[in-house]
Amino acid sequence: IEVIMADALTLHFPREIDVLIAEIIDTGLIDELQVPALNALRNNGVITNKTTLIPFHYTTFAQLVHTDNTYYGYQIVVPKHEWPFYAYPRTGWVQTKVEPISDVVELVSADFSLGIIKEQIVEHVRFKTNKTKVINGIKIFGKIKLSKNVELSSTNALNGDKIIPIDPIKNTGSVEVE
């Protein structure tokens, strides 16, 4: 095993590698360099179709929600991280009330082992809503495949759900979002 500490965007290595372990994933691949780093390593010949990638696949999902943005008597409308440990009373975190309003929609499914991956995704999706409450947020979450038989969703240290505030939408039973 050889550990290389370098910038993945500029790494040139004299030969292809057998295994690449990359822990640079955040929910929805937002604010992380997973895709640009893997694309650069592939373009520089460091990883090939023979390289085992861990993780090797990521799927991003979205769901429309109604969330209470009131904290200690104040309206605070900001993106929220919803880590699983927030639900434990001993942590002292204020539990955000997030109510699902729509079905879950798959936004993107990226298999890192298949070659170059699109770095920007623009999707037009339709959500089916199941409640009459006003929609004021979108929940972004994902699943990571570490191997064929090992898949992770939100954990206390990786891939926590994100709640992104949106302008309130009156619920009519079906909502389109781009």
Side-chain angles (χ1 to χ4, degrees):
I1 296 176
E2 181 178 350
V3 177
I4 301 168
M5 187 169 160
D7 184 342
L9 297 174
T10 59
L11 177 66
H12 292 280
F13 198 64
R15 63 184 190 280
E16 65 188 52
I17 59 175
D18 298 317
V19 178
L20 174 75
I21 301 172
E23 192 293 303
I24 52 175
I25 289 185
D26 191 31
T27 306
L29 303 178
I30 299 170
D31 290 338
E32 296 287 1
L33 290 175
Q34 183 79 13
V35 172
L38 289 174
N39 285 343
L41 291 170
R42 190 170 294 279
N43 285 334
N44 291 335
V46 177
I47 60 174
T48 69
N49 291 339
K50 295 177 187 175
T51 304
T52 299
L53 300 170
I54 304 171
F56 78 93
H57 191 276
Y58 190 89
T59 305
T60 302
F61 302 95
Q63 183 176 42
L64 298 176
V65 298
H66 175 82
T67 184
D68 181 6
N69 293 311
T70 305
Y71 300 92
Y72 306 105
Y74 296 96
Q75 278 290 109
I76 303 173
V77 181
V78 295
K80 305 173 209 182
H81 295 268
E82 289 298 311
W83 299 101
F85 68 85
Y86 287 3
Y88 304 130
R90 295 181 313 199
T91 63
W93 286 96
V94 173
Q95 183 65 42
T96 303
K97 187 175 181 182
V98 178
E99 185 177 346
I101 303 297
S102 75
D103 58 339
V104 172
V105 174
E106 182 179 298
L107 296 179
V108 66
S109 181
D111 188 329
F112 305 143
S113 65
L114 296 180
I116 299 298
I117 306 150
K118 284 198 254 180
E119 293 186 23
Q120 283 193 331
I121 305 294
V122 176
E123 290 289 328
H124 185 89
V125 296
R126 180 181 300 246
F127 293 92
K128 293 178 188 169
T129 57
N130 55 19
K131 297 187 180 175
T132 57
K133 281 197 170 183
V134 170
I135 298 159
N136 66 354
I138 186 165
K139 177 175 138 181
I140 306 290
F141 57 104
K143 289 186 180 178
I144 302 166
K145 289 186 180 180
L146 300 177
S147 69
K148 299 279 185 205
N149 299 319
V150 179
E151 184 175 271
L152 294 175
S153 294
S154 183
T155 72
N156 286 336
L158 178 73
N159 203 36
D161 298 349
K162 305 290 185 270
I163 309 298
I164 311 297
I166 60 174
D167 290 335
I169 299 171
K170 184 178 179 186
N171 187 351
T172 59
S174 178
V175 175
E176 291 187 36
V177 178
E178 184 170 329

